[in-house]
Amino acid sequence: MAGHDLNATPRLATKAMLKHDNVREVELLLLPERVVLLNKSGAAILGLCDGSRTVRQLVDQLEHDFEAADLESDILSFLDDASGRGWVVVT
Amino acid sequence: MNGTPQPFGLLAEVTHRCPLHCVYCSNPLALLDRADELATEDWLRVIGQAAELGVLQVHLSGGEPLVRGDLETLVAECRRLGLYTNLITSGLGLTESRAESLVAAGLNSAQLSIQGDAAEATDLIAASKQFGKKEAAARIIRDAGLPLNMNVVLHRLNLARLDAIIDVCARWDAERLELANAQYYGWALNNRELLMPSKTQLDQAVGVYERRKAELAERMEILWILPDYYEPYPKPCMGGWAQTALTVAPDGVVYPCPVAAEITTMEFASVRDHDLDWIWAKSPAFEAFRGTEWMPDPCRSCSRKELDFGGCRCQAFALTGDAGRTDPVCQHSPDHHLVQDALVRANQEDGGADRRLVYRRSDSPGV
């Protein structure tokens, strides 16, 4: 449950690559032998997982970008799931 | 694209040259020489056209792709175009500096093959003494920061060692392991009598797979690629003909799947003569079995036709001589006896890795 630590720093796993697909007009996460179709919020969260900010800072950034409050629990559960799937490494 | 599907994957078979001699090699019976291979600029053009077509992942394969000195150039171009790259390697020829330069160029992932859990297996299956080099390659891949994916082809001669094979992959720190039951095309079809497991062997191996998958769930993803001869319905090969991926052979000829070169009754176009877009969307070979219109019965009237797409065209051709027939693996295929007969023989033989089978096979007509 590393994602629940607001001071932890998430970054995309080495094997994972985010891509905006210009042909299909979708956001994707590319993995070995696998392509994951992301929704807008998933792409936004993963796009900020670059090892440069804490979960707290990531939440603040997205709440600012989406002009929304109370995103914390959704983001935490997404990060939890993403780290469980090996897409994100939280340190 | 007028309803034409967009491919996700490009298998770039950059060479047929290979240090291994696997008994189940999936490359065509007639291998291409170095002189036949596409030049670097051809591959760069192919990669660019593939990206425009919608390809997302490029699998660099062979043969042994590392024999080409221009892999870094190809990987860098893929990275520039936002394509995910995966190196499919035997591990032979992978040095620390080669791995570093590939990663620097943007390589995302590597898949390393082994033939079994020890040197003897590599010798028996691939006529190579280089198992130690594979262990070194696994370490080099991990040290380079790449995810280590591993692949083992399973068959009669190594299924009993599955536990030990999984141990090796876990010890080498693989994060994904494909247990690929042998498929019988080309060279493998020549050795089918030797490689086909018995039902008892398979059932035991499935038990091992399920136990180890649960045990290792936290550290290694294990996949089981079904042995299709033992299935009641065919595999949905490649997600249907010319639907999701394409293969470019070392000489530039483009196929809907890696073994389609064996369908000698079809003409496949080359990137030396045509754009990839035309080959994918318009060439007669790619259109031939796309969708469901081409299907004969029993597929045509079958409720599963959108699930398995009539199975594998290459297998239909290999077993019946007609790529347009229902995959003989299907229990409804009029040619199903071809598969059943092979299974009967596999289950009559005793003793597992009985190498006499090779000699007997080579004495029988039609080999």
Side-chain angles (χ1 to χ4, degrees):
Chain A
M1 300 295 151
H4 281 152
D5 180 357
L6 288 167
N7 295 316
T9 305
R11 66 174 169 79
L12 212 54
T14 316
K15 66 180 175 183
M17 186 169 120
L18 283 170
K19 180 180 174 72
H20 174 74
D21 181 350
N22 290 319
V23 175
R24 299 172 184 81
E25 284 301 328
V26 290
E27 302 295 333
L28 301 170
L29 181 69
L30 305 180
L31 296 156
E33 314 285 342
R34 192 166 297 158
V35 175
V36 181
L37 180 63
L38 297 170
N39 59 22
K40 195 179 168 194
S41 52
I45 296 170
L46 291 176
L48 294 178
C49 293
D50 59 3
S52 76
R53 52 174 74 72
T54 63
V55 174
R56 175 76 265 156
Q57 290 166 326
L58 186 148
V59 170
D60 290 345
Q61 180 74 50
L62 288 172
E63 288 183 343
H64 175 264
D65 291 351
F66 284 83
E67 296 176 1
D70 304 330
L71 295 183
E72 185 176 306
S73 70
D74 284 352
I75 292 172
L76 286 177
S77 79
F78 179 89
L79 283 176
D80 230 24
D81 186 52
S83 94
R85 290 170 192 267
W87 301 349
V88 165
V89 179
V90 185
T91 50
Chain B
M1 296 283 288
N2 296 330
T4 305
Q6 292 150 341
F8 286 87
L10 167 66
L11 182 70
E13 289 186 338
V14 294
T15 184
H16 277 161
R17 288 176 282 153
C18 188
L20 299 185
H21 309 283
C22 299
V23 292
Y24 43 69
C25 178
S26 61
N27 282 335
L29 292 178
L31 296 179
L32 297 162
D33 293 331
R34 181 177 198 162
D36 301 317
E37 292 177 7
L38 290 181
T40 307
E41 56 267 29
D42 296 322
W43 278 114
L44 295 176
R45 187 180 73 245
V46 167
I47 289 165
Q49 291 178 358
E52 285 174 25
L53 256 185
V55 162
L56 302 169
Q57 296 185 311
V58 176
H59 305 279
L60 297 157
S61 179
E64 174 48 66
L66 290 170
V67 304
R68 285 198 55 139
D70 59 357
L71 268 194
E72 286 81 350
T73 308
L74 307 187
V75 168
E77 179 67 356
C78 289
R79 173 51 68 107
R80 191 179 72 80
L81 296 170
L83 301 176
Y84 190 98
T85 48
N86 180 27
L87 175 72
I88 300 177
T89 180
S90 68
L92 275 58
L94 186 63
T95 59
E96 273 100 355
S97 62
R98 195 77 205 271
E100 278 167 23
S101 66
L102 285 165
V103 168
L107 184 67
N108 295 99
S109 170
Q111 186 191 82
L112 175 68
S113 64
I114 54 172
Q115 285 69 41
D117 60 293
E120 296 74 25
T122 306
D123 199 10
L124 173 65
I125 299 303
S128 164
K129 309 272 185 206
Q130 305 291 346
F131 186 74
K133 293 254 172 73
K134 288 176 173 287
E135 181 164 13
R139 181 183 49 74
I140 289 168
I141 289 167
R142 301 291 294 125
D143 288 351
L146 292 169
L148 175 62
N149 301 291
M150 293 184 63
N151 175 285
V152 189
V153 175
L154 297 179
H155 46 77
R156 191 179 187 96
L157 305 180
N158 69 2
L159 273 166
R161 302 289 302 165
L162 185 54
D163 242 328
I165 289 169
I166 295 172
D167 281 338
V168 165
C169 298
R171 195 161 68 236
W172 294 1
D173 217 6
E175 61 177 70
R176 185 174 189 276
L177 167 61
E178 265 180 33
L179 299 171
N181 281 280
Q183 306 203 40
Y184 300 100
Y185 318 106
W187 206 260
L189 187 56
N190 284 341
N191 283 310
R192 189 179 64 183
E193 305 291 305
L194 177 71
L195 297 173
M196 183 69 69
S198 71
K199 183 76 169 69
T200 311
Q201 251 193 318
L202 258 183
D203 288 345
Q204 285 168 354
V206 168
V208 171
Y209 154 70
E210 286 174 348
R211 172 170 53 77
R212 300 305 300 275
K213 185 182 172 70
E215 266 174 33
L216 293 167
E218 293 297 310
R219 52 182 293 208
M220 183 162 75
E221 179 186 12
I222 309 182
L223 289 92
W224 177 260
I225 315 294
L226 287 168
D228 65 342
Y229 272 52
Y230 279 99
E231 294 295 307
Y233 298 109
K235 56 184 177 283
C237 203
M238 303 299 293
W241 182 267
Q243 292 293 320
T244 63
L246 69 174
T247 295
V248 178
D251 60 351
V253 178
V254 188
Y255 301 98
C257 92
V259 292
E262 287 172 31
I263 307 180
T264 50
T265 49
M266 298 183 77
E267 278 193 42
F268 296 94
S270 169
V271 295
R272 295 188 201 269
D273 307 316
H274 298 278
D275 288 344
L276 209 53
D277 174 46
W278 179 85
I279 296 173
W280 172 260
K282 302 268 175 48
S283 69
F286 276 66
E287 287 282 77
F289 301 120
R290 191 176 258 148
T292 55
E293 279 306 299
W294 61 273
M295 287 180 178
D297 268 321
C299 295
R300 176 172 285 277
S301 55
C302 181
S303 64
R304 295 181 54 87
K305 68 179 174 186
E306 306 268 6
L307 294 176
D308 55 35
F309 313 107
C312 173
R313 299 302 85 227
C314 305
Q315 184 144 275
F317 180 80
L319 297 183
T320 75
D322 180 353
R325 289 179 75 80
T326 296
D327 187 334
V329 157
C330 182
Q331 60 186 353
H332 303 306
S333 158
D335 306 306
H336 188 53
H337 63 277
L338 297 170
V339 166
Q340 287 301 107
D341 291 350
L343 292 186
V344 167
R345 288 196 298 278
N347 287 284
Q348 276 169 349
E349 312 293 349
D350 300 321
D354 185 346
R355 301 198 68 185
R356 282 174 307 169
L357 287 168
V358 178
Y359 300 109
R360 193 170 62 199
R361 178 71 176 155
S362 62
D363 288 336
S364 62
V367 174

